[in-house]
Amino acid sequence: MSGPRHAAARKSVMQVLGQNRLRVWHGLIDDRIQMALDALQTSSAPDLVEDFANPVFRAITKPILGLHPSDLDRFDTLAPVLQDVLEPLLPMRQILQLQEVFAETMSLVSTGYARTEDAPTGAVSLQDHLQQNPPEGYDDADIAALVLVLYGARFQPKPYFGQCAALDPELAVGSATGCGGPGLDKHADRRNHVHLRITQIYLPACAKHPAG
């Protein structure tokens, strides 16, 4: 996607994912980060990506983008493949397989107004915003596809969250050593760092590059 169509999508996406527009989501973001830290601390074999980065990514990105799959497990299985839509010069066989995956994923997400029960008061998800204010030439299916591509393009969270989840070892192994109890308060600065990475780098990057 390029030219006027890309410009129209980018302008609309920035109205939701621009840094100044994300403030209304800060409470939800902090809550989801804390939930992931709690789960990480109680894990018997903590893994910063699987136990922290991936859950944080899914728990924050879905409500902000307005993704509410009808089959959550199936959606999470298919979602990592969505990033392949941005790969250039794929073999025809892989393109056909990708089309099947994309079609199935599209069927799992709503193409009307997204449910916004996760949205804080005053917050509007990206899909809701685009449905209410569609970019020129975009129908419901185009909007759903755009939101999915944004999710898929940034699906690999390790570059964004893995680095900022570099918590001190005693927190990562808290449950095993018995010293993890007060760890969350001690590492509040780390939690704030993750928050800043999400609101100032990751989500605004989606807005600046809506086609990936």
Side-chain angles (χ1 to χ4, degrees):
M1 181 169 60
S2 60
R5 188 171 174 84
H6 178 274
R10 177 173 175 172
K11 180 179 178 180
S12 294
V13 171
M14 282 292 291
Q15 292 173 0
V16 175
L17 300 187
Q19 287 185 23
N20 62 325
R21 305 301 179 92
L22 288 171
R23 292 191 183 97
V24 70
W25 292 96
H26 283 188
L28 179 142
I29 291 171
D30 286 339
D31 288 345
R32 301 303 164 83
I33 292 171
Q34 187 65 59
M35 289 171 62
L37 286 171
D38 290 344
L40 178 67
Q41 191 173 5
T42 59
S43 174
S44 59
D47 181 296
L48 288 176
V49 174
E50 292 302 320
D51 296 330
F52 182 78
N54 285 348
V56 164
F57 169 81
R58 295 186 181 112
I60 292 173
T61 307
K62 285 176 183 173
I64 293 178
L65 294 186
L67 288 172
H68 303 278
S70 57
D71 184 334
L72 187 59
D73 290 340
R74 182 59 178 164
F75 179 85
D76 286 343
T77 298
L78 296 173
V81 183
L82 295 174
Q83 63 184 331
D84 293 346
V85 75
L86 303 172
E87 292 291 332
L89 304 177
L90 291 174
M92 180 58 68
R93 182 178 180 180
Q94 191 172 349
I95 291 175
L96 294 175
Q97 292 174 338
L98 180 58
Q99 287 179 335
E100 293 179 0
V101 170
F102 203 89
E104 182 179 354
T105 309
M106 283 276 289
S107 72
L108 297 175
V109 297
S110 61
T111 54
Y113 290 125
R115 293 175 293 150
T116 55
E117 62 268 23
D118 287 336
T121 302
V124 178
S125 72
L126 177 61
Q127 185 167 191
D128 272 350
H129 172 75
L130 294 176
Q131 291 288 345
Q132 296 167 18
N133 306 277
E136 184 176 357
Y138 279 70
D139 59 20
D140 285 354
D142 293 330
I143 290 169
L146 173 60
V147 173
L148 281 177
V149 169
L150 283 174
Y151 187 78
R154 306 294 171 183
F155 186 82
Q156 293 297 336
K158 188 174 181 179
Y160 298 95
F161 300 126
Q163 294 174 7
C164 63
L167 308 176
D168 289 347
E170 65 184 77
L171 176 61
V173 298
S175 62
T177 63
C179 66
L184 298 182
D185 290 335
K186 180 178 179 181
H187 295 281
D189 58 328
R190 296 290 189 177
R191 183 172 62 249
N192 292 337
H193 180 57
V194 176
H195 175 113
L196 290 174
R197 291 279 295 186
I198 293 168
T199 59
Q200 297 185 13
I201 299 177
Y202 165 68
L203 289 171
C206 290
K208 292 178 181 178
H209 306 286

